[in-house]
Amino acid sequence: MPIRVMLVDDQELLRTGFRMVLAAQPDMEVVAEAGDGVAALQALRATAVDVVLMDVRMPKLDGVEATRRICAQPDPPKVLILTTFDLDEYAFSGLKAGASGFMLKDVPPGELLAAIRSVHSGDAVVAPSTTRRLLDRFAPMLPDTNQRPRHEGLERLTEREREVMVLVAQGLSNGEIAARLVLSEATVKTHVGRILTKLGLRDRVQVVVLAYETGLVRAGGNG
């Protein structure tokens, strides 16, 4: 069954370009389009979608709020934020809203297709190091440490899981974490899976965001 994609962007020409790229793929199908967040939410009520390509700056309802509402639904589609500028503040908000990653609008077609397949399979498409750089830049938007929200799930993590979470938030890959902690990569992957389950998170991107929000990791990458 092909990956069902919805295109959400107020620029019809850009949607046409994306549609042409996706239509050439045997494993993808554009099943819906929308020019703003309101229309996107309406389309989702009538159409089954796997991945949403979401612009952020749109009339009526922007992509960040649309993403937040989509991700709050039961069994929601994955959302891939499209931004014009690298490290756009909207990408920061989009990740916090539940997006599985962000891409630049001028991304090469091959990278866009790989990103769609990646989020569809359950992975995040933003490298943890890129996410960390994004959050470092916008860390002043986060509340002071003593005002930051507590997450009850953090108390359920083992000491090793907290250690792994900090390293994930610092931008290390599973392989790098395995080398740092003298573990097998499979063991690290198991720890990451347990962290996601205990904290109710969807992917590594949300692990990084939560680590910053709760003060587990501070700007600059130090836990």
Side-chain angles (χ1 to χ4, degrees):
M1 184 176 179
I3 301 171
R4 299 164 295 190
V5 180
M6 178 164 74
L7 306 176
V8 185
D9 196 295
D10 60 343
Q11 298 181 42
E12 186 174 354
L13 186 60
L14 194 143
R15 294 202 311 269
T16 299
F18 282 147
R19 189 190 323 119
M20 291 175 62
V21 170
L22 270 58
Q25 305 304 307
D27 62 337
M28 294 185 191
E29 178 185 6
V30 176
V31 295
E33 295 185 33
D36 60 70
V38 172
L41 291 169
Q42 292 173 341
L44 280 175
R45 296 190 189 105
T47 309
V49 174
D50 298 312
V51 178
V52 178
L53 294 186
M54 180 73 75
D55 186 24
V56 285
R57 306 184 190 194
M58 298 182 294
K60 296 184 181 179
L61 186 70
D62 66 48
V64 173
E65 181 57 29
T67 296
R68 184 175 293 108
R69 296 186 189 183
I70 289 171
C71 292
Q73 298 175 0
D75 194 24
K78 302 297 174 61
V79 178
L80 190 55
I81 294 284
L82 296 173
T83 68
T84 305
F85 304 104
D86 192 15
L87 298 186
D88 191 312
E89 68 273 16
Y90 286 94
F92 168 84
S93 300
L95 293 177
K96 287 187 64 178
S100 293
F102 67 91
M103 303 287 288
L104 298 182
K105 284 189 176 182
D106 60 357
V107 63
E111 290 185 25
L112 176 66
L113 296 171
I116 293 172
R117 294 184 180 105
S118 183
V119 296
H120 180 251
S121 69
D123 292 333
V125 300
V126 184
S129 56
T130 304
T131 307
R132 174 188 152 194
R133 189 160 50 99
L134 176 73
L135 289 170
D136 277 350
R137 174 169 173 175
F138 294 106
M141 296 172 61
L142 297 172
D144 293 335
T145 303
N146 60 359
Q147 297 177 330
R148 290 181 183 176
R150 292 184 60 83
H151 193 291
E152 293 181 0
L154 290 176
E155 299 174 1
R156 297 199 298 270
L157 298 182
T158 65
E159 185 176 344
R160 176 65 86 187
E161 287 165 353
R162 286 177 69 93
E163 201 172 3
V164 170
M165 181 175 177
V166 167
L167 295 176
V168 167
Q170 290 177 353
L172 275 65
S173 67
N174 284 355
E176 291 168 334
I177 294 172
R180 178 79 64 89
L181 300 180
V182 195
L183 300 171
S184 71
E185 195 164 340
T187 298
V188 172
K189 188 173 182 180
T190 297
H191 283 312
V192 172
R194 288 174 179 164
I195 291 167
L196 294 176
T197 299
K198 288 183 179 181
L199 299 181
L201 303 177
R202 187 178 304 177
D203 52 42
R204 295 172 76 100
V205 169
Q206 293 190 346
V207 170
V208 181
V209 172
L210 180 64
Y212 271 73
E213 284 191 318
T214 58
L216 188 64
V217 169
R218 297 183 296 276
N222 298 315

